[in-house]
Amino acid sequence: DKVYHDVDLATFVTDHHLKRGEGVSFTTVIPSTTPWSSMIRMESSCTTVDVFVGGNRIYSYGDDNYKNGDFVGSGYHFIDLPDNSSGQRIQIVMVPTESGLVSSFYPVDIIPAEDAFVDFGSNHMIVGCLGIFLAEFGAIVMLLGLASLLGLKNSAQFFLIGAASFLLGLWTVCVTKTIELFSLNFTLNTELEHIALFLAPIPILLLIVENRKSGNQWRRGIAYFAVLILTVFDIGAVILHYTNVLHFPMILTCFHALVGLSALLVIVANLEKRKKMSAEYKIIGFGLAELLLCGIIEVVRYNMQRYLYGGNSDFSITVLPFGMTLFIVLVLIAYVYGHYRETLAQMERE
């Protein structure tokens, strides 16, 4: 194991990406001004966590899963400090459970116990609430989409928009750790985060195809083939993860590349001259473009945070939920405008 002294975790970066089992130990002295009833709040990402105060282990997470080869999740740890622990030596040992994922660490805070969860909630209020809204909105819209059985127009688009909103909302709630307000099962939370992320591009890409009904069948065939490849990848990723062959975080780079390729194929196969586009399609097309741009920004942000600035809060805010919200607004505008044009045309015919 490596031991580092006098480091600021907000800026600290190891000299290489740590391998599985390559432990890191951080040691300091608990300030003498620490209140009697205090907690340690820290975030871990696919690492085991062991905390020692005065030489005694007070907290352990992930050791059993790690030894069994199972997945170790990510999340915020809220650890009660023993009474009168101020001035004592504290040691935190973290062991990566996956190779090549860890090169930086999140800050460790010692705060009054009564403020720990309040402060946590306030730090995640905006993005977390936005994620909850997107998930609930998506679930409602998916139910409306199922009204296709009743012959509702554009039901497929409704369902796909709802599915994209629900999945990105669920991913947002998980990635911001807001889900810990409801569940402290780090493994399940992290698995939901990755499953939602892996599935989210599928309804978005299908929506691009569905919004262009005309055109050559081979173009649509290429687009559907790209979606099929992504679907097969998702199924394979789930199998590899739950058989402990290759866990979700290790597949992310391949996922990013495959989504980029699939999106490129779908977009190129469904390009249409602007003059031939209806006004509604132009609006939705703009929304899809800004959503894809947000996806690219998210990939860059994720890799910068993961490998360069793990503890820097400036890189912890995702733009995807904001992009999805804007997309929903644009879709609503497009459908309202389309309905207005249809009503106006019908009135002119009469």
Side-chain angles (χ1 to χ4, degrees), residues 68-122:
N68 294 331
D70 296 330
F71 181 58
V72 176
S74 306
Y76 277 96
H77 305 262
F78 297 89
I79 308 163
D80 289 313
L81 281 174
D83 294 337
N84 197 26
S85 58
S86 60
Q88 295 192 46
R89 181 174 175 269
I90 180 173
Q91 180 185 21
I92 299 175
V93 180
M94 306 179 73
V95 179
T97 59
E98 310 289 343
S99 294
L101 292 181
V102 179
S103 62
S104 58
F105 299 86
Y106 298 96
V108 178
D109 299 316
I110 299 178
I111 54 181
E114 62 270 17
D115 296 335
F117 296 98
V118 174
D119 187 53
F120 170 79
S122 63

Side-chain angles (χ1 to χ4, degrees), residues 225-287:
F225 178 71
V227 174
L228 177 62
I229 292 177
L230 195 57
T231 303
V232 171
F233 170 85
D234 288 349
I235 295 173
V238 170
I239 294 174
L240 290 175
H241 175 82
Y242 285 103
T243 55
N244 292 323
V245 175
L246 204 61
H247 292 141
F248 285 143
M250 301 298 293
I251 312 174
L252 270 179
T253 300
C254 182
F255 168 74
H256 291 155
L258 189 59
V259 168
L261 178 61
S262 299
L264 182 63
L265 285 175
V266 171
I267 292 171
V268 171
N270 288 273
L271 283 178
E272 189 173 1
K273 294 181 180 179
R274 290 186 61 85
K275 292 182 179 180
K276 294 183 179 180
M277 293 183 184
S278 65
E280 303 94 290
Y281 182 78
K282 289 179 182 179
I283 296 174
I284 295 178
F286 176 79

Side-chain angles (χ1 to χ4, degrees), residues 287-338:
L288 288 168
E290 65 85 17
L291 188 57
L292 292 174
L293 177 61
C294 287
I296 295 172
I297 294 174
E298 172 60 24
V299 171
V300 175
R301 182 208 66 82
Y302 167 81
N303 286 282
M304 291 185 69
Q305 183 189 26
R306 170 66 72 181
Y307 299 113
L308 297 177
Y309 305 104
N312 192 326
S313 60
D314 294 335
F315 290 89
S316 64
I317 300 176
T318 174
V319 298
L320 267 180
F322 298 99
M324 187 66 207
T325 304
L326 177 58
F327 172 67
I328 290 173
V329 172
L330 291 172
V331 167
L332 292 176
I333 293 174
Y335 279 118
V336 169
Y337 181 70

